[in-house]
Amino acid sequence: MARQKIQIKKIDNTAARQVTFSKRRRGLFKKAQELSTLCDAEIALIVFSAAGKLFEYSSSSDLTTKKIISGERESGGLYILDPTVSRHVACSGKFCP
């Protein structure tokens, strides 16, 4: 039996919202780890809860949140999410917008 599609909208019940956030965050981090392993990609995730708590995942021990935010990277570009326009912006080096 197939799973039903859920409507993507804010969950009104606070407890249910927290449970969903925790489960989906774990799933997202697991997918990031799998992508890193399968494709030999550097992955970094930064997630903030509704309460403002920081959760982070990094596929490499030298890829830290501080480096990601500052735009430091040894080679290649860095993709950042620009929340003002809801799209990815490619940048390189320390001169990210």
Side-chain angles (χ1 to χ4, degrees):
M1 191 166 167
R3 293 185 183 189
Q4 287 184 329
K5 281 195 168 194
I6 63 164
Q7 185 179 10
I8 301 297
K9 65 177 184 152
K10 183 178 178 179
I11 300 170
D12 295 326
N13 183 309
T14 308
R17 187 180 325 129
Q18 179 59 41
V19 168
T20 300
F21 174 79
S22 296
K23 287 181 179 180
R24 288 185 175 245
R25 184 190 71 235
R26 281 193 307 263
L28 180 63
F29 284 14
K30 182 179 179 184
K31 289 290 185 184
Q33 187 271 331
E34 290 171 355
L35 180 63
S36 173
T37 302
L38 292 171
C39 301
D40 194 27
E42 281 189 349
I43 307 289
L45 290 175
I46 301 173
V47 178
F48 290 96
S49 69
K53 186 174 179 183
L54 170 71
F55 299 92
E56 60 183 312
Y57 167 81
S58 173
S59 61
S60 171
S61 61
D62 63 330
L63 188 62
T64 63
T65 305
K66 196 172 196 176
K67 286 183 179 181
I68 295 164
I69 293 172
S70 68
E72 292 179 26
R73 183 139 174 220
E74 292 171 11
S75 63
L78 177 69
Y79 282 93
I80 60 171
L81 181 64
D82 184 349
T84 60
V85 293
S86 299
R87 63 177 173 83
H88 285 93
V89 177
C91 65
S92 60
K94 296 181 182 178
F95 303 104
C96 297

